[in-house]
Amino acid sequence: MHQLPLAGRRIIELGSMLAAPFATHILSQLGAEIIKVEPPAGDPTRKLVRGGPSGTFIAYSHGKRSICLDLSLEGGRDVLYQLLKSADGLVHNLAPKAATKLGVSREACATINPNLIYCHIRGYGPGPQENDLASNPVAEAATGAMESNRINGRPSRLGPSYHDQFAGAYAVIGMLGSFLQRAENREQETHVEIGLYETGLHIAARDLVGVQLKTQLLGKAEREPSGEFSMPGYGAYMTRDERWIYLLMLTDAHWAKFCEALQLPDTATKDFGTLRERKKARETVEEIVREAMSRVDFDEAMQKLKIAGVGSTEVLPLERVLDAPQARQAGTLRAVKFRELDFEIPEFPQKNDNRSGLYTLSPAEIGQHTREILHELGLDDQVCDKLIASGAVIEATPGSFSWAPVRK
């Protein structure tokens, strides 16, 4: 069996919530060794669900070791610096001022380990707001995603923290590029800096350019009602037995296949055979699709759509997503145990037989590997005991971040 691409690389994570931990999760899936450095209070995702760990923590922390350091104390910072000397990379999403205060700015880390690939995921990149704080919803608000997503008229966050996760993925891409540069002995800067705001701009590039295009062609900033209804018939429709099916209706060929599958009158293909015609008669076309879907039960509809080659899927609630046969394919899910609970966690979406059957560490209790990592740094038990007694480093405490009892 060949090694995974990042086998032998050690990455230090100074991350909280999602962006940096998501980046190191991907790096871990690519074979890197991840050491998660946590403060005494722990990553906030350890206490989000009834006082205990959340789905975020469990999903993106398996495969990592945990060391708990108080970086406000000199002894904690010294241990961190020794870790950085032993590492190939650092990923953090500390606020810029916090990074400077704790001695992990880019300049400080370059002094500690000139060969370290330094990756900082921050609110904003260079510019007038470079020291401002930002979060996933702030990035959504500032880059146009939130304005069109309204609940009872109020602009609202999308739900999943896509901007955090995109930023984490971009960070991984940047680090892989830096590793390649180092391998080829190039002299270019190899540090990586990702702004949530700039991530949001890049994600929104298609829509931002679309507005510019319409403005120049039409003389005004015209937008589609929403991405959902830019193409009539492309969306979710309810069947007779009240289940939702999402239809893929991108092209004229898709429309023709749908009309064939649901046995619509010839006028449907004759009068609305082109996207331009369907857009002009948007409300009529939407009503045709709604009415056609409402005449058939879910199973019958799915069978007809599949035979005709119409792209479609059921709109699933989260509790049923992993029941789908596609999700059950070998290598798609990884069995992970945490505190005697069993989880099935989706793997990094890349066909890779090298990962198949590999063992992964369960999500660590805070400081679970503190002493083990200190020993690897060459510290004996006497020094470890002294550091622990000073509060600079902390070992795991059974029952920390426990879930509150479920009410009967």
Side-chain angles (χ1 to χ4, degrees):
M1 181 180 292
H2 298 294
Q3 285 188 324
L4 292 171
L6 293 183
R9 305 275 190 179
R10 170 177 281 187
I11 309 294
I12 307 303
E13 176 203 308
L14 270 173
S16 65
M17 294 303 285
L18 191 49
F22 186 72
T24 55
H25 163 70
I26 297 175
L27 294 168
S28 171
Q29 296 263 289
L30 292 173
E33 173 199 3
I34 307 298
I35 296 178
K36 184 177 180 69
V37 178
E38 298 184 70
D43 185 322
T45 59
R46 285 188 180 274
K47 52 188 175 185
L48 288 182
V49 176
R50 300 187 65 81
S54 64
T56 297
F57 177 79
I58 297 168
Y60 302 132
S61 293
H62 68 90
K64 304 177 184 180
R65 292 192 291 167
S66 169
I67 183 171
C68 186
L69 304 176
D70 187 341
L71 298 181
S72 69
L73 299 178
E74 184 178 354
R77 291 194 299 274
D78 286 343
V79 171
L80 174 62
Y81 300 158
Q82 290 184 61
L83 272 175
L84 293 177
K85 288 178 182 177
S86 75
D88 298 286
L90 166 69
V91 181
H92 77 83
N93 59 340
L94 297 168
K97 290 181 180 178
T100 299
K101 181 179 179 181
L102 297 174
V104 288
S105 65
R106 178 163 61 92
E107 294 76 14
C109 287
T111 300
I112 295 166
N113 180 354
N115 294 318
L116 190 75
I117 302 296
Y118 181 90
C119 177
H120 186 187
I121 305 173
R122 52 193 292 173
Y124 298 87
Q129 291 185 263
E130 61 187 26
N131 290 315
D132 289 357
L133 298 177
S135 62
N136 186 90
V138 169
E140 289 180 16
T143 60
M146 186 180 289
E147 191 269 340
S148 61
N149 186 58
R150 295 173 180 257
I151 298 176
N152 297 325
R154 181 187 184 188
S156 304
R157 64 170 297 168
L158 299 178
S161 296
Y162 293 125
H163 286 62
D164 271 331
Q165 292 176 275
F166 265 111
Y170 287 0
V172 171
I173 294 169
M175 293 189 75
L176 293 177
S178 293
F179 283 131
L180 284 173
Q181 287 183 327
R182 284 279 167 82
E184 295 172 3
N185 295 314
R186 298 185 191 176
E187 295 298 323
Q188 292 99 323
E189 283 277 5
T190 53
H191 73 277
V192 179
E193 190 171 86
I194 305 292
L196 281 180
Y197 173 75
E198 287 74 18
T199 295
L201 287 179
H202 189 246
I203 295 169
R206 180 187 67 170
D207 300 311
L208 295 170
V209 171
V211 169
Q212 296 170 54
L213 177 64
K214 292 285 185 69
T215 300
Q216 294 178 77
L217 293 179
L218 305 176
K220 59 181 179 178
E222 181 180 300
R223 291 184 294 176
E224 298 288 352
S226 77
E228 178 69 39
F229 298 111
S230 61
M231 297 183 182
Y234 194 156
Y237 301 89
M238 185 179 284
T239 60
R240 183 166 56 195
D241 50 351
E242 298 186 342
R243 291 170 71 177
W244 290 95
I245 293 178
Y246 200 94
L247 299 177
L248 176 65
M249 206 81 75
L250 276 171
T251 68
D252 296 340
H254 292 162
W255 174 252
K257 290 177 180 178
F258 173 78
C259 293
E260 175 190 348
L262 274 295
Q263 299 176 320
L264 298 184
D266 291 341
T267 53
T269 51
K270 181 179 178 181
D271 296 343
F272 309 115
T274 68
L275 178 59
R276 186 174 183 180
E277 290 168 334
R278 293 194 297 279
K279 281 191 171 184
K280 283 183 178 179
R282 182 188 304 274
E283 291 185 9
T284 300
V285 173
E286 284 291 314
E287 180 56 32
I288 288 173
V289 178
R290 277 195 298 268
E291 197 276 332
M293 295 296 289
S294 70
R295 293 198 312 262
V296 290
D297 289 338
F298 174 84
D299 290 336
E300 180 187 356
M302 288 299 291
Q303 182 181 22
K304 288 183 173 182
L305 293 168
K306 189 173 183 64
I307 290 172
V310 179
S312 59
T313 189
E314 183 176 7
V315 179
L316 291 171
L318 281 171
E319 60 270 21
R320 288 181 51 211
V321 168
L322 297 185
D323 293 336
Q326 184 68 27
R328 310 309 302 179
Q329 293 302 297
T332 302
L333 303 175
R334 179 184 288 273
V336 174
K337 187 175 285 291
F338 179 67
R339 294 186 180 180
E340 302 309 313
L341 300 177
D342 294 308
F343 299 93
E344 293 179 304
I345 301 178
E347 290 277 63
F348 182 66
Q350 171 184 294
K351 175 66 175 173
N352 193 331
D353 294 333
N354 295 339
R355 269 206 327 262
S356 180
L358 289 180
Y359 169 76
T360 186
L361 293 171
S362 294
E365 299 294 346
I366 183 171
Q368 180 176 334
H369 306 97
T370 291
R371 188 175 289 266
E372 174 184 303
I373 294 169
L374 292 178
H375 285 163
E376 290 174 5
L377 293 175
L379 306 181
D380 60 28
D381 279 325
Q382 185 176 357
V383 175
C384 293
D385 291 339
K386 186 176 180 180
L387 284 168
I388 291 167
S390 73
V393 304
I394 295 116
E395 288 191 286
T397 302
S400 61
F401 304 101
S402 296
W403 288 295
V406 178
R407 295 173 185 169
K408 300 296 184 182

